[in-house]
Amino acid sequence: QLLLLRLTMKRLFSTSHSSVDAKEMKKFQLLAHKWWDEEGEYSALHSMNDIRVPFIRDTLLSMRSNYHMGNPLSGVKILDVGCGGGLLSEPLGRLGASVTGIDPLEDNIRTADQHKSFDPVLAKRIQYKSSSLEEIVEECMETFDVIVASEVVEHVADLEMFIKCCSQVLKPEGSLFITTINKTQLSYVLGILVAEKLIGIVPEGTHEWEKFVPPEELESLLESNGFSVKTVNGMLYNPLSGSWSWMESTSINYAVHAVKSGAQAQPSPTGALSEVGSEQPSDTAGTAL
Amino acid sequence: LGHNIHFHDKKIALLEAGPRKDYDRMPDSYSNRVSSISPGSAALLSSFGAWDHVCNLRLKPFRRMQVWDACSEAMIVFEKDDLGDMGYIVENDVIMSALTKQLDAVADRVEVFYGSRAVGYTWPLSSHSCDTSPWVQIELADGRRLQTKLLIGADGHNSVVRKEADIRNIEYWYDQSAVVATLHLSEATDNNVAWQRFLPTGPIALLPLSDTASSLVWSTSHEHASELLAMDEESFVDSINSAFWSNVNHSDFIDAAGAMFRSAISLLKPSGTAARQLPPSVAQVDPGSRAMFPLGMGHATEYVQNRLALIGDAAHRVHPLAGQGVNLGFGDIACLVHHLGAAAFNGSDLGSLKHLLKFETERQRHNVSLIAAIDLLKRLYSTRLTPLVLLRTWGLQATNALPPVKEQIMAFASK
């Protein structure tokens, strides 16, 4: 079974059934020190903050009633899954939130810890931990108001389990924000061919088209695991200006906001079936290509 | 910045070399350092409550500005259609006091270090080595050390911050000094007009302070400026009156050419242009109010660097002939506050070059054309050469006859 194979490979990084993919980890290991170079390999992620931070901020503010414009996210507990070097954790921390950033790669956490250490305010507001999502589930049941998984789900091995774990650590009516890449011909051409091989705005080999997630699949996985999808927005990167913008079409990049239902979320009875089901899209995609 | 809502949670330090200036009542005599505040600048000051203090202390609005040539009859008059205020003449001390009061109001966020001086600057390394702090370190004369995410250099045209940051500055000294003084008029008048006459040696301006007093700004050669300061009060007053009233620089040729052009205009525009008014005559000067300072022009090649922004005279310096120097600075402030506020609300690192560059682009676009225009005007009006006098005479007369052009000029200058 595919799952068993992955288990043995992951022994190095985690001890249990996991959504972490070892091959993915290796890719990021090499670039662990480049996170904070705004003009470097991760420049597109730095500029993505210009739209994903306002998206998260405004969505959360629309659901809150009393907040201060100088400290809008004060009191909000956020989990940043796959935080990398802390690119997204830091702005959220500056807006007042208490952020826990987790990443399976220790080098990433080390970089993130060191970067936040220079700012006395951030150093207290953000906590980093080298861990996978599954490993913190037990001690963090229903702890967080918000989970942010930005540019992560296209790297995980088992998406449904990832979502289930999100649901477990999220408080009822908590928000889940995901940004990821769609699985279309366009996303292959632009997201991999152009971005990685042609103009090199993304380090080569970062993405595998097989692992891209179409919004329909993500939505159905979310809905069948106790989430209600509120917003889906397409995102577009302009390599000439180095900036991101929103667009109607979700054919390349997109962002999702979902809310965990208030009642105790029960995974749908088709849980086992959907696990098998999630293996299928890659097969069909294979034949399509 | 302290009053900006997105900065509620931030800490700001202000290093001020001078002493604290806080007045509840202004002294009877006027200070000889005044500024012409544009409506745009007044709006900025009002946005954080400082303008109210200015109004409570003292200021003089003016409705009209007449600018004319000493070498010809050409003149141009600016005034707003709705007869609203074109601008305000305010003593610099009044503005300082108003600002001090508003700083006190946000003392929990802004700490002012009076009488302080920075002696050492340590800039962040450009590499992302992560070993040393990426913030700017500053050492004060009294030994204290501060560190900050963003350093704003607002330390005037001889900016130390700019020099320490190795930012190249294009600068040159005009061969002129400005003489300032507080004058008393011969008779009380509405005094809501600002007067400026371009003499070959430099422009002389009379800015209203009250119904009986005006402030003098006379830009002229260094030698003439020293003479003006040295002469007795009566001679000084005579020089001023003669500068405004005498027609010794006219030549018949220019007068004829100007009159011909004027009649040409009146063919196209029968309503004609406003008649030239005569400025009030000066009776005496406030003893001890005469002072002079040299004039120059400057423009920094960069306004920003990583974790650094220059504003005001540290970034650009102009000739006082257009009364724009301080307004450019206020414009810088409004723009920087806007961009920093947005950056703070996005959770960005305040010293990040990304939004600092937006500020630089926006301000350079606005400032460079104005600075170039002021410099051009200064050069154009510094000569007696007939062709240039003819050019500027006709140019001025033509501009005076075209309300849309004048409105554009006023709109640009009053931002």
Side-chain angles (χ1 to χ4, degrees), chain B residues 137-183:
Chain B
Q137 316 279 335
I138 298 171
E139 196 185 320
L140 299 181
D142 61 11
R144 279 184 290 187
R145 304 193 119 246
L146 301 172
Q147 62 162 357
T148 179
K149 289 187 225 185
L150 173 66
L151 178 65
I152 300 177
D155 47 347
H157 64 86
N158 271 330
S159 170
V160 174
V161 173
R162 187 187 65 222
K163 293 191 185 119
E164 290 277 333
D166 271 339
I167 293 180
R168 246 179 14 106
N169 192 39
I170 302 169
E171 62 187 8
Y172 46 81
W173 294 98
Y174 291 124
D175 50 3
Q176 286 184 348
S177 284
V179 173
V180 293
T182 309
L183 307 171

Side-chain angles (χ1 to χ4, degrees), chain A residues 6-50:
Chain A
R6 285 182 176 143
L7 263 173
T8 45
M9 285 206 318
K10 275 179 281 135
R11 199 77 64 75
L12 278 170
F13 302 98
S14 65
T15 50
S16 60
H17 201 42
S18 172
S19 58
V20 174
D21 184 331
K23 257 180 26 194
E24 299 282 352
M25 300 260 286
K26 267 211 172 69
K27 281 188 272 186
F28 285 103
Q29 177 90 33
L30 294 166
L31 295 167
H33 302 289
K34 302 287 185 86
W35 284 102
W36 287 100
D37 182 358
E38 281 181 45
E39 317 289 316
E41 278 85 355
Y42 289 114
S43 65
L45 281 181
H46 276 277
S47 59
M48 199 194 276
N49 276 346
D50 292 341

Side-chain angles (χ1 to χ4, degrees), chain A:
Chain A
Q1 259 232 349
L2 234 53
L3 233 48
L4 266 172
L5 243 151
R6 285 182 176 143
L7 263 173
T8 45
M9 285 206 318
K10 275 179 281 135
R11 199 77 64 75
L12 278 170
F13 302 98
S14 65
T15 50
S16 60
H17 201 42
S18 172
S19 58
V20 174
D21 184 331
K23 257 180 26 194
E24 299 282 352
M25 300 260 286
K26 267 211 172 69
K27 281 188 272 186
F28 285 103
Q29 177 90 33
L30 294 166
L31 295 167
H33 302 289
K34 302 287 185 86
W35 284 102
W36 287 100
D37 182 358
E38 281 181 45
E39 317 289 316
E41 278 85 355
Y42 289 114
S43 65
L45 281 181
H46 276 277
S47 59
M48 199 194 276
N49 276 346
D50 292 341
I51 60 166
R52 61 183 170 175
V53 173
F55 175 55
I56 297 169
R57 173 197 76 206
D58 293 338
T59 309
L60 292 177
L61 290 185
S62 69
M63 303 191 307
R64 300 182 95 192
S65 44
N66 58 332
Y67 55 87
H68 192 280
M69 291 290 265
N71 214 351
L73 296 185
S74 151
V76 179
K77 291 178 70 171
I78 304 186
L79 174 67
D80 184 2
V81 184
C83 62
L87 260 58
L88 183 51
S89 302
E90 287 204 6
L92 293 174
R94 283 197 200 97
L95 290 178
S98 305
V99 184
T100 303
I102 61 171
D103 197 281
L105 202 54
E106 266 194 48
D107 280 349
N108 282 349
I109 296 296
R110 217 173 297 140
T111 304
D113 261 328
Q114 190 182 38
H115 196 266
K116 75 154 193 188
S117 68
F118 297 119
D119 186 333
V121 167
L122 280 186
K124 284 198 294 246
R125 283 215 193 117
I126 309 178
Q127 303 303 323
Y128 290 114
K129 218 171 124 120
S130 170
S131 156
S132 70
L133 182 56
E134 295 75 12
E135 280 161 9
I136 62 161
V137 164
E138 279 191 30
E139 45 191 68
C140 295
M141 295 290 287
E142 300 205 346
T143 311
F144 297 100
D145 300 297
V146 177
I147 296 182
V148 172
S150 179
E151 304 304 297
V152 163
V153 300
E154 71 266 23
H155 296 286
V156 306
D158 185 340
L159 183 55
E160 177 150 33
M161 180 163 57
F162 182 86
I163 292 175
K164 279 195 192 352
C165 294
C166 285
S167 175
Q168 285 173 303
V169 300
L170 199 56
K171 288 184 189 161
E173 309 211 11
S175 283
L176 172 61
F177 291 92
I178 293 177
T179 77
T180 186
I181 311 181
N182 196 347
K183 193 174 182 180
T184 59
Q185 286 185 325
L186 196 57
S187 74
Y188 181 73
V189 171
L190 293 179
I192 298 187
L193 277 186
V194 175
E196 287 184 21
K197 303 197 197 299
L198 220 67
I199 54 184
I201 46 174
V202 176
E204 194 163 340
T206 301
H207 289 126
E208 277 172 47
W209 189 80
E210 297 292 318
K211 313 261 297 271
F212 286 174
V213 184
E216 304 76 35
E217 184 187 326
L218 186 59
E219 269 185 83
S220 83
L221 278 176
L222 286 169
E223 299 271 345
S224 59
N225 279 290
F227 283 95
S228 156
V229 175
K230 300 286 180 193
T231 322
V232 179
N233 274 331
M235 295 158 58
L236 179 67
Y237 183 66
N238 179 342
L240 296 172
S241 64
S243 63
W244 288 88
S245 54
W246 296 111
M247 73 166 174
E248 278 280 336
S249 153
T250 55
S251 47
I252 321 170
N253 296 72
Y254 64 97
V256 173
H257 170 234
V259 173
K260 173 175 165 180
S261 63
Q264 267 300 318
Q266 301 290 335
S268 80
T270 55
L273 277 171
S274 57
E275 210 156 82
V276 173
S278 68
E279 312 286 66
Q280 279 180 351
S282 42
D283 294 333
T284 46
T287 48
L289 210 55

